[in-house]
Every structure is written in C-alpha cells, then in structure tokens.
Amino acid sequence: MNAREKLAYEKAAGLYEFARADNEQGLIELYDSRLREAERGVNTYWLKYPVRTGVGNRHSLRVEGGAEDILYSANIGYDNVEGAMKGSSRNTFNGDLLLSYRSGNVTFKNDLLISFNKSANSPYGDFNEFAKVNAYWKPYNDEGNLQKFLESNSYYPNLPLAGMYSTIENPLWNALLPNRDDSRYTQIQNNFEIMWDVIPQELTLRGRFGYTRTTERADEYIPSEHTKFSDYIGEDFGRKGQYTYETGEGVSYESSFSLNFNKVLNNVHQIYAGLQYSFSEEKSEEYSITAEGISNIHMDFLGMATLYEKGGRPYGTEEISRRLGGTANVNYTYDRRYFLDLSGNVEGSSKFGNKNRTAPFGSVGVGWNIHHESFLSAKREINEARLRLSYGSSGSQNFNPYQAMSSFRDYGNFSYNGWYGMYLLGMGNDDLGWQTTYTTNFGVDLSLFDRRVSLTADVYRKKTKEMLSDITLPSSAGFDTFKANVGELTTNGVELNLRGYLIRNEENGWRWSAGATLVHDKNKITKISNSLEFLNQTLLEQDQSNPSFLFKEGQSINTIFAVKSLGIDPSNGQEIFQKLDGSLTYTWDPKDKIPCGVKDPKFFGNLNTTLAYKNLSLTAVFSYRYGGYYFNETLANRVENIYPYNNADKRAYYDRWKTPGESALYKGVRDFSQTKASSRFVMKENTLHCSSISMQYELQSDWLENNMSISYLSVSGYLEDVFRISTLKQERGLVYPYSRKFSMSLTARF
C-alpha cells in the first residue's frame, strides 16, 4: 500500500480508536502526524532499497589430447552470480582432470574433481523486512541523515500490543553497518577405475573406488550498533555485538566390483550377464558457536568477543551411515525381436533397525521389437515399434542415519556427587524396515514417418509398502516423534512423451520441432497402521492456520483437510463454517475437517519447441499443471492473519468486510482473530510457466579454421523465468525476491 492507502486501512481497522478519551487523543495526534507526512509527499517505496540488477559472468576452458594408449582431458570453470539483493553473491570454481591409460587388455582411469564455492548473503537481510515498512516513514531525516528508528513509542491500547510501546526500526540502518554473513565450502572428489577385458568384447572385470571430502565454514557478524541490541541495557549492555561461527567436514567413500559377460551366438542369440558388489560409508560432523560482546563495530573477528551467547553453548552434530549391496542381472535378446531382463539385488543399510537392515529387491522385464518382424519391416512409415512390460521392487534410503536408534544427551553442567546424568532424546525402533515400492509398467515406443514423429507411452502401477513417517507421541513420552513403518500407498499413472517435426526441410535449412510430455498420476492410501490412526487424531485436534495432510484409507496422501467454509456473513463480516452434521456456526472446530481437494494436479508436464534456420535456432521451454488444489497460505497470512501496524497487501483494505450488508471475500477489517484452515483458501491451480527462451547461432567456416584455428564458434542468449500464468494468485519471493535472468555466452573450439 502507498502512504494514503495504508493510513486509510489503519483508520478502518480502528487503530486510532479507544474507549478512554486521554488515550484516544494520543492516537489521534499520532494519526495526524503520519497524515502530515503523507500530505507533504512522503510515500517511500521501500522495496527499491535492497534490490539491484545483478551482472555476473561465467567462464570455462577444456583441453584434451593424448596418444593411442594415453588420453587426458582437463576442465576449469568459474561462475560468478551477483544476486538480485544488494551484496548477495555466489562464486564457484570447478576443476576436473581425467587421465586414462591402457596397457594391453587393462585400462586405468582416474578422474579428479575439485570444487570451491564462496557465497555471501545480502546485508539487507530478508526482503520481507522492507516489504512490511509503511510508506509514510522515510529512511533519512530532513537533514539527510540516516535514521536508526523511524518512529518511537507508538502505543495501540486497542490492539494486541496493548500496554506496550513500540519502536519502529529502520531496516536500512542495519544494512549499511559493517557486517559479515558468508559461507564457503571446498569439495575434493577422486574416482579411480580399473577395467580388465578378460576376453575382449565378451568378459570384463571392473573395479571402482571413489573418495569425497568436503569442508565448509560459515561466519555471521552482527555489529553492536544493530537495532537487534537496542534493548540491551544494564547487565546486558556488554553483550552487544555477536559473532556466529560454523564449521563442518564430511568424508565418504564408495567402492564397487563388477563382472560383465556379453556374447552373441549365431547372430541370433545375444546374452548379457552381470554381477556387482558395492559398499559405501558417509561420515560428517558440524559445529557451531555463538559469542557476544564485541564493542567495536569494525572488529568482525570471533576473537574479539568477550563471552558466549547468553544461555547458549557450543552446538554440534555428527552422522555416519554405511551401505552395502549385491546385484545380479541377465539380459537375453532373440533375433533383435524379443528380449528378457532379469535382475535381483540385496541391499543393506545402517539407517534401519537391527532386525531389518537388509532387504531383497528384484525386477523382470520382457519386450517385443515389432519393427523387426517381417510383416512390418517393409513398411517405411514405421521406423520403430516396441512393446515393454516390467515388474520390480526398489527401496529408499533417503532418511536420517540415526532414525532407528535411541539417542541420548547429557544434562550439561548438572551433576550429582560427581556423576553426570543423561536423558533420552529420541526413541529408537529396532523393527524399522525398508520402505519398498513395487512397480508394474507397460510401455509402447513408436517412431514414424522417417522418424518425423516419435511417441513413448507408459502405464504404471506403484505400490509402496512399509511407508516411513514420523509418529507424534504424547507429551508424557518426553519427546515429540519417532520413526515407524505406517502403511501402504498405491499409485496409478500414465505418462506420454510426444515429439515431432512440423517442418523438416533439409534443402532450405528450415526445421521446426515440438515436444510435449503429459503425466497423470493418482495415489491412494490403502492401509494405515494403528500408530498412524493416533497421528491422524493428533492432527485433527491441532488448532492451526495451515491445513492438515491426514493419512486416511481411500484418500490421497496429499489430500487437503480443512473445515468447510460458506464464506463471509454480509451482516457482520464473520466467517460461516459448516459442521459435519450440516449445521452452520461461526466457531471453527478442527473436528469438522473434511477433504477439500488434492494437491497433486490431474495432469502436468512440459512443452518445448525449436525453430531453426540453417545455423540459427530459437528454443522455448514451458511447464504446466492442471487440476490440482492448493491451500493459499500466503493469501491467508498476508490479508487476514495480520495486524495493521505494518504495510500489507492492498486486499487487506479494499477486499475485507467493512459495513453491514457488504459482500466481501475476506472477514471484517477489525477482526484480528486467527484465520484457521478453511476451504475458503483452498484454490484450484492451473498454471502455465515459460521457464526459458534461448537463441543460438553456430558458425563454422574455413576462414576461421585457417586463420584463427577455430573449428567451431557459437553465440547464444538465454532468458529464464519468462512468465507465469496461473489461476492461483499468490505472493512469492518474500524472503528473497524472484528475478528474471538473462545470460549470453560465447563458445569456441580450437
């Protein structure tokens, strides 16, 4: 809102009213002083201060060469990204050295990758800090000096800040102070491989070993003049100035050994078989300390601090996990027409309970290359036709390393007769097992009309058993949740991929191609455990503004549960709710929650097209979603769940109920009660997003090669996040602003 709109909103919301005349007089004077500022032209657009047009650069160089038995390649790259917020940046350096040596039937390869990154957060903090400042305040006083506080001792006895005097801080003051908020990491990765062709082109033995080491560090310095320390008085005065230091390192290794056999018999039977054994370990540690008491604002150094954070102590985490697995697979193809795939593996992971750390998985697949049959081989319009059918199982390991283990923490400085006590931090589960998904898939591949049109279609059914989820425990347990296998989920879906040439005139150099993918995916919970029933009951009793995602048999896992709303009552501006028995009420009750829609879209996918004339090409890429529902949390929290102290969405003034008989989308402008999860904010999302548009020109000429040794030259431009059209209007980029990115690149090969 601009200055006048915000003042009108504050007055409509009753910010300057109170029953006692003495207090109301002070509020009237406050309103008059703000109005005078607006009348004399103060209308600050605060969002302009933290943003900029960032200009970065990216460079890369690749060199390769070698002889018959020795090959090498080297890459170096540098990427500088200047963010949309002033002072934010990310600089990345990458290096890669690949060496390959062959001696007889043995090949040695070593690939060394080094990556270094340094990032800086904006000194302006969150973008939202500027979005909420009222336009009738200005960052500089009439003498041109930067103000630390925009307004002091604002008093609103009629609202939740009753009995409190509020001081409004200037976010620009903090941004221009000396500060530090940056992080960096270094990663070194080395992959070594030995390959022995025991029988050339038939039997191969391969061994791999990979090692990765990562170190990271983060520093944040807040100077003593920061408004965060404005109320540090008395014994806390010496605590002004804060430094937080975080450091960590991680080490991982992975090794595998495989034996592969490939043989063609009588030009009809092709057999491939493979065995593989692999194991890995990941280990990481992170530490953090926060210190205070740095009086000099220019001393952004941890050693200048005089004490630890009040009530704080050093913090650290460590994780270690191990995995091993064995795999066997066989592939048989007959006359290039029929093929059979079989595979089986056993996986073990330390992330699961002692009783279920290993699990077997497998798959089987068959296929038919119809285009190799005699009755289709003569049909020129059919280039490829294939049918596929497969069934298999797989497991997921993307979970916390210690989720199945009971964990403890000491009481710190407390002891009894020299003995230190421990308390249970989290409850383990020895029976925790693998979350396993069983997938059945039927597919068709077609390529037609001299490969002008290609189509891939898949129909699948996935059944996930032993789903892993956090189970909420009663407060008497001493901790909030523990991990358990809780139920089964079935997913049915269709995926289509179509691509074709609308124009393909090689003589004139014109080419126009287009492609589209479409995915229809629907899931349903088929079974839940008793512990999940308990979790559902806990979620139903939660009094919150966000909707619940309950686990109910027959419903999607992404079903939105909220109380049904009939809108705003024109007579009083209150929201009308419908209870489960059909009666109407003004009282929101979590037990009245019903399914209000599914977050998953009915259809989603991508669209792309490329138009080319000789060496010039133009490409556009889109994504789309259709038919899903979304709880518009930002709308609820930016229009209703607010107080009129800070700047707000225009709809908070224009679209909220104000007078009896008024038809409004949002509840009364003077209603400051929390808006709970209701169907009023569950909205259908149909979205078309143009993610990128790029143009490229490629140049290959004898003159460049003869005079400059350039065999290939290209110039390209790339535009990212071009536009977004959606039925769902929601505010984005509150913490960090959304931005469009345009880049140009030049590529040359010598």
Side-chain angles (χ1 to χ4, degrees):
M1 299 182 191
N2 61 35
R4 294 179 181 274
E5 289 173 325
K6 183 54 173 40
L7 283 169
Y9 166 55
E10 291 174 352
K11 200 162 189 178
L15 190 65
Y16 303 105
E17 299 177 11
F18 194 60
R20 289 175 51 183
D22 54 344
N23 282 332
E24 188 173 61
Q25 181 60 36
L27 293 173
I28 293 173
E29 293 174 358
L30 177 63
Y31 171 77
D32 289 341
S33 67
R34 292 173 173 178
L35 182 61
R36 282 194 300 270
E37 291 294 293
E39 291 289 346
R40 73 186 188 99
V42 177
N43 189 29
T44 307
Y45 184 63
W46 286 90
L47 299 184
K48 72 179 181 180
Y49 289 106
V51 297
R52 66 177 178 185
T53 299
V55 179
N57 55 87
R58 181 171 59 245
H59 312 280
S60 63
L61 176 65
R62 176 182 174 87
V63 179
E64 58 184 27
E68 182 176 351
D69 296 329
I70 301 177
L71 299 173
Y72 69 87
S73 67
N75 297 279
I76 56 172
Y78 172 74
D79 187 10
N80 163 242
V81 178
E82 298 293 327
M85 292 276 286
K86 293 177 181 177
S88 62
S89 63
R90 184 173 66 250
N91 294 278
T92 305
F93 171 82
N94 292 300
D96 180 12
L97 177 62
L98 175 64
L99 300 174
S100 176
Y101 171 70
R102 184 176 181 85
S103 176
N105 292 342
V106 181
T107 302
F108 302 88
K109 288 184 180 180
N110 194 84
D111 191 8
L112 175 65
L113 301 96
I114 299 176
S115 179
F116 174 77
N117 173 277
K118 183 175 182 180
S119 301
N121 294 322
S122 173
Y124 288 77
D126 289 346
F127 187 60
N128 187 47
E129 293 300 312
F130 291 83
K132 68 182 184 181
V133 183
N134 294 317
Y136 48 68
W137 291 321
K138 56 184 187 296
Y140 298 89
N141 61 23
D142 292 338
E143 288 74 37
N145 298 319
L146 185 65
Q147 303 183 100
K148 185 173 184 178
F149 302 106
L150 302 174
E151 193 174 77
S152 299
N153 297 329
S154 302
Y155 182 54
Y156 309 109
N158 201 33
L159 294 176
L161 282 182
M164 295 177 60
Y165 287 90
S166 175
T167 298
I168 310 302
E169 301 166 351
N170 184 358
L172 197 58
W173 170 273
N174 297 327
L176 300 181
L177 289 172
N179 66 85
R180 182 178 182 182
D181 189 2
D182 57 64
S183 61
R184 67 194 72 183
Y185 78 81
T186 301
Q187 184 180 80
I188 301 175
Q189 182 178 359
N190 193 83
N191 297 303
F192 178 72
E193 176 182 310
I194 301 178
M195 184 175 66
W196 176 26
D197 292 325
V198 183
I199 303 176
Q201 316 238 334
E202 290 187 8
L203 186 63
T204 303
L205 179 64
R206 179 182 283 110
R208 294 191 181 99
F209 180 78
Y211 176 84
T212 302
R213 182 180 181 86
T214 303
T215 58
E216 53 188 12
R217 168 180 170 172
D219 296 78
E220 182 182 13
Y221 167 63
I222 304 175
S224 57
E225 289 297 318
H226 196 281
T227 56
K228 173 181 179 178
F229 307 113
S230 298
D231 58 350
Y232 280 36
I233 58 176
E235 63 179 17
D236 290 331
F237 185 83
R239 294 174 45 226
K240 290 187 175 184
Q242 186 179 86
Y243 199 108
T244 300
Y245 173 76
E246 299 177 359
T247 184
E249 64 176 7
V251 174
S252 66
Y253 68 82
E254 182 172 2
S255 186
S256 66
F257 304 92
S258 62
L259 180 65
N260 299 318
F261 174 77
N262 185 36
K263 184 73 173 179
V264 178
L265 303 174
N266 300 324
N267 291 323
V268 174
H269 307 281
Q270 182 176 2
I271 302 172
Y272 172 85
L275 295 172
Q276 178 175 295
Y277 174 76
S278 62
F279 56 91
S280 66
E281 179 182 274
E282 296 181 2
K283 184 178 181 179
S284 63
E285 294 180 350
E286 293 183 359
Y287 303 98
S288 173
I289 58 172
T290 299
E292 298 177 329
I294 306 176
S295 58
N296 191 320
I297 64 173
H298 298 285
M299 292 296 182
D300 57 344
F301 177 60
L302 178 63
M304 295 298 297
T306 57
L307 67 164
Y308 281 115
E309 180 185 22
K310 186 176 182 179
R313 67 177 189 177
Y315 173 81
T317 62
E318 63 86 23
E319 294 181 352
I320 183 170
S321 64
R322 297 184 178 93
R323 179 193 62 83
L324 59 84
T327 304
N329 55 66
V330 177
N331 172 270
Y332 170 73
T333 304
Y334 175 73
D335 198 23
R336 298 189 303 163
R337 290 182 292 165
Y338 314 108
F339 57 88
L340 170 67
D341 292 314
L342 296 171
S343 70
N345 64 303
V346 176
E347 295 284 344
S349 174
S350 62
K351 296 181 179 181
F352 301 100
N354 290 330
K355 300 177 182 179
N356 290 297
R357 285 190 170 170
T358 60
F361 306 100
S363 66
V364 58
V366 294
W368 181 19
N369 290 323
I370 309 175
H371 56 282
H372 286 151
E373 297 289 352
S374 58
F375 59 84
L376 280 185
S377 60
K379 294 185 179 295
R380 295 184 177 180
E381 62 271 19
I382 300 178
N383 307 111
E384 184 178 297
R386 179 182 298 111
L387 299 179
R388 296 174 282 106
L389 178 65
S390 64
Y391 174 80
S393 61
S394 60
S396 176
Q397 299 185 49
N398 190 24
F399 300 104
N400 187 293
Y402 299 148
Q403 61 185 357
M405 299 174 60
S406 296
S407 54
F408 299 83
R409 174 176 289 175
D410 69 87
Y411 280 100
N413 295 327
F414 300 100
S415 63
Y416 179 75
N417 287 337
W419 293 88
Y420 288 91
M422 308 284 288
Y423 63 92
L424 189 61
L425 185 64
M427 187 169 71
N429 183 356
D430 288 340
D431 295 316
L432 189 69
W434 288 69
Q435 176 175 292
T436 305
T437 300
Y438 300 87
T439 303
T440 303
N441 187 94
F442 174 72
V444 178
D445 302 317
L446 289 174
S447 182
L448 309 172
F449 312 118
D450 194 20
R451 303 192 183 276
R452 185 180 290 269
V453 179
S454 61
L455 171 68
T456 299
D458 287 275
V459 180
Y460 55 86
R461 177 182 178 87
K462 299 179 180 179
K463 188 167 186 177
T464 302
K465 294 185 177 182
E466 303 296 336
M467 287 193 306
L468 286 176
S469 180
D470 288 318
I471 300 301
T472 303
L473 297 175
S475 57
S476 58
F479 35 86
D480 297 329
T481 63
F482 81 105
K483 190 76 73 173
N485 299 103
V486 295
E488 297 181 1
L489 178 73
T490 299
T491 303
N492 297 311
V494 177
E495 183 172 346
L496 302 176
N497 191 330
L498 176 65
R499 183 164 186 83
Y501 284 92
L502 295 101
I503 299 175
R504 191 173 66 181
N505 192 323
E506 301 294 345
E507 294 181 359
N508 296 329
W510 282 100
R511 301 179 306 279
W512 183 18
S513 64
T517 61
L518 182 147
V519 180
H520 169 66
D521 196 287
K522 187 176 182 180
N523 64 69
K524 181 172 67 174
I525 299 174
T526 55
K527 180 181 177 182
I528 62 174
S529 65
N530 293 332
S531 56
L532 203 53
E533 285 278 13
F534 178 79
L535 176 60
N536 284 336
Q537 188 61 36
T538 302
L539 292 173
L540 276 174
E541 295 173 355
Q542 287 184 352
D543 188 10
Q544 58 183 11
S545 58
N546 293 333
S548 300
F549 289 93
L550 303 176
F551 299 91
K552 289 195 172 184
E553 292 184 6
Q555 296 286 349
S556 167
I557 196 172
N558 290 318
T559 298
I560 301 171
F561 287 84
V563 178
K564 185 176 181 179
S565 172
L566 300 184
I568 303 302
D569 190 337
S571 65
N572 55 24
Q574 295 187 62
E575 185 171 9
I576 305 172
F577 303 102
Q578 180 174 307
K579 298 183 71 63
L580 292 180
D581 61 7
S583 61
L584 304 182
T585 180
Y586 292 127
T587 303
W588 184 92
D589 189 340
K591 295 183 177 60
D592 293 325
K593 289 180 181 179
I594 61 171
C596 295
V598 178
K599 189 175 181 180
D600 300 321
K602 291 182 178 179
F603 304 101
F604 67 94
N606 297 302
L607 305 170
N608 63 82
T609 183
T610 299
L611 178 64
Y613 175 68
K614 294 185 178 178
N615 294 337
L616 180 65
S617 63
L618 176 67
T619 300
V621 179
F622 305 83
S623 63
Y624 67 90
R625 295 169 59 92
Y626 173 78
Y629 286 85
Y630 188 86
F631 183 81
N632 200 337
E633 179 184 351
T634 58
L635 182 61
N637 292 335
R638 300 290 291 181
V639 176
E640 291 191 359
N641 282 332
I642 57 171
Y643 297 111
Y645 320 128
N646 300 321
N647 213 333
D649 191 295
K650 288 177 181 287
R651 289 170 290 188
Y653 172 59
Y654 289 106
D655 295 345
R656 291 184 67 166
W657 184 91
K658 301 181 188 66
T659 57
E662 178 184 2
S663 179
L665 295 173
Y666 309 107
K667 66 184 185 182
V669 71
R670 297 192 177 201
D671 186 349
F672 303 112
S673 62
Q674 185 184 19
T675 296
K676 308 293 179 57
S678 76
S679 61
R680 190 161 51 99
F681 293 99
V682 178
M683 302 174 178
K684 182 173 288 188
E685 181 187 10
N686 300 325
T687 300
L688 176 64
H689 177 218
C690 181
S691 55
S692 67
I693 294 178
S694 61
M695 179 178 287
Q696 183 180 46
Y697 182 75
E698 299 175 324
L699 181 61
Q700 290 176 295
S701 70
D702 294 335
W703 186 89
L704 284 173
E705 187 164 6
N706 295 332
N707 293 276
M708 303 181 68
S709 300
I710 298 177
S711 60
Y712 173 85
L713 184 68
S714 73
V715 180
S716 62
Y718 183 84
L719 184 62
E720 186 178 317
D721 199 8
V722 184
F723 65 81
R724 184 176 184 271
I725 303 172
S726 179
T727 58
L728 180 66
K729 306 298 181 183
Q730 63 176 138
E731 200 165 13
R732 303 187 302 161
L734 294 178
V735 176
Y736 195 92
Y738 274 77
S739 61
R740 290 185 175 89
K741 179 181 178 181
F742 175 73
S743 60
M744 295 190 67
S745 65
L746 175 67
T747 302
R749 297 175 187 162
F750 298 88

